[in-house]
Amino acid sequence: MSDSGSGLMRNETINQTTSVPTSIHRGGVDPANIMTFDDDVVLETKDLSVFYGGKPAIERVSFQVPRNEVVAIIGPSGAGKSTLIRCYNRMNDLINGVEIKGDILFEGSPLYAPEADPTEIRFRIGMVFQRPNPFPKSIYDNVAFGPRINGIQGDLDQMVEESLRKAALWGEVHDRLNDSALALSGGQQQRLCIARALAVKPEVILMDEPAASLDPISTQAIETLIRELIEDVTIVIVTHNMQQAQRVAKYAAVVMTDESRIGELIEYGPTEQIFGTPRDQRTEAYVTGRIG
Amino acid sequence: MTLGREEFDRDLGQLEAQVVLLGALVESSVLTSLLALKARDLELATRVIADDDLIDDKRHEIEMSCAETLRREAPVAGDLRRILTILQLAGELERIGDYAEGIAKITHLLSDKPLPKEIVDIPRMGDRAVSMLKHSLEAFLTRDPEKSEATAMGVGPHDQAVDSMYAVIQAELMELMRKDPENVETGTYLMWAAHNVERIADRATNIAERVVFQATGKLVRVGGDDDDAESPR
């Protein structure tokens, strides 16, 4: 019988990497524990370090996100998960004193190249936050916001309907599109935020604990939605919910820190490996709740 | 930061202790059934049959505790493998108990009927099977994954030895039955007894395989290939 690699579908390579630093620093990262893909990579993080006011928050993170899959970033609080995910649509640019070393390739092009336009990047790589943050506008205007300011041509009504349908919200709001978005429940607001992100037809959606403030039913709806959305987009999700990571993500990246308070990627692989037979003892200790 | 998983660890420790207790009950049952068969002691055989209820109850208790722990803790990785192994072991041990009960029932069937030969080889094969069971459970309790795997893998050659002993006993009983039809009834009973012992060894091998899974996350074959045979009991 085969071992933990039995669920591999793509041209995946375990035990091989060229992009991860081979030097062992602090807790130590074994490059063999960082899975790589031969092709169809949407986002490639290369030796990425982020500094706030000169102090490193995450250091030398390298891994690849494959197309039309869900990748979960997991790890204890303060390990740098949100810092990492915010790098993918240049949200960290908005923070004073932030410095980014290394690079992220998006469809092969460097996200941090001088000519890269952060606004365009944020349309192509959308983001959904922990707390739903609809604009204090109507349901319709929330979804139409992106296409309007982006000057997208076409039938706006149709775009709004399509986005709301994809976000599994159309049935609940189609007859009250002009109502305030703030009148919706928390779960509906979060799906509206997903619809808003979908309206500009992004290639990637980043989700930073998208169900953390939701009840179990709304959480289930969001998870179902995530599984459906990968038909069209690639999803990177930060979650503290270990069961959620297993339910929605095909791959999981474990970010860990030690007393240095600097986050590093210690293991990346199929979710069934991370939660079944992790290779790094720190991953085992984290997923079984013995460190956090 | 290290979190408070002490209660969960304590629960797992208690579950393991329950498995060890079940293992001791089952081992005692097998040894007693073999002793009863060899000595043709019907009273002892009756005790084995009665004790099987205790074994069944203990398995049920372990399963319920595992279900409760799974529900409450939603374990993953090594913790999940540990609970899955405990569940599996409880089932395997309970089945071994059934084989011991089967041998005890055969002892009753044989009653004081004249035998084609003295019962020596079946208990000898039984000792080997019990030794396999002990090694498998020892591997289960070994904390070091490498040592645990090595101990469990060591059970395999014994399983092959038991299979060979079984083949010899089978051939010998066949021959005795062929020679004298008077031996057919008792010979058949003894064949069943030998088969039960062979199945005990197979179950002990299954336990070893589960222990390797607990230690490594890999499902491997530890013993021979003929562990799917069923027998009348």
Side-chain angles (χ1 to χ4, degrees), chain A residues 229-249:
Chain A
L229 287 176
I230 56 165
E231 294 277 314
D232 300 317
V233 297
T234 302
I235 294 175
V236 182
I237 179 173
V238 167
T239 180
H240 275 292
N241 183 329
M242 299 290 106
Q243 272 64 45
Q244 181 173 75
Q246 294 173 76
R247 285 193 295 264
V248 303

Side-chain angles (χ1 to χ4, degrees), chain B residues 67 87 123 181 189 211:
Chain B
L87 264 174
Y189 293 153
V211 170

